[in-house]
Amino acid sequence: MADVKINVYTPAGKHVGYFLNPAIKSYPEGDYELQGHFFDSEGAKVVKLEFNPQVLPYSCDIGPLSAGHKKLQSCYVQRGRQPVMMSGRGA
């Protein structure tokens, strides 16, 4: 099975990093939770994801997961240490 990368972007479209083979939970209201190993845009594994409240919220491209939605909007970091967890709303 091929690796699945879920890219994460700032509101300005800057690539922050990606999840590699994350676990995903979906909820009936269209909310999602992603959890897994997170790597920065250079491919280095992040020990602790430092997030800047001035660039929040993030967006995630979840198309590779074949979920009901292709993108997540309003993504927020729920846990910054590995495994990183983010939550967001399907778009």
Side-chain angles (χ1 to χ4, degrees), residues 1-75:
M1 184 173 148
D3 287 336
V4 175
K5 286 173 62 173
I6 303 301
N7 290 302
V8 178
Y9 302 93
T10 67
K14 181 181 178 204
H15 185 243
V16 174
Y18 60 91
F19 284 97
L20 186 61
N21 299 322
I24 186 168
K25 290 182 185 176
S26 61
Y27 299 95
E29 301 82 26
D31 293 330
Y32 288 84
E33 189 176 273
L34 295 169
Q35 180 176 339
H37 296 292
F38 192 83
F39 298 83
D40 66 17
S41 57
E42 303 296 319
K45 190 173 183 180
V46 174
V47 174
K48 182 178 181 209
L49 180 62
E50 299 291 342
F51 51 94
N52 181 348
Q54 295 177 347
V55 299
L56 292 175
Y58 297 109
S59 63
C60 300
D61 177 12
I62 61 168
L65 289 176
S66 299
H69 296 91
K70 298 297 178 195
K71 291 201 175 287
L72 296 183
Q73 295 178 333
S74 301
C75 295

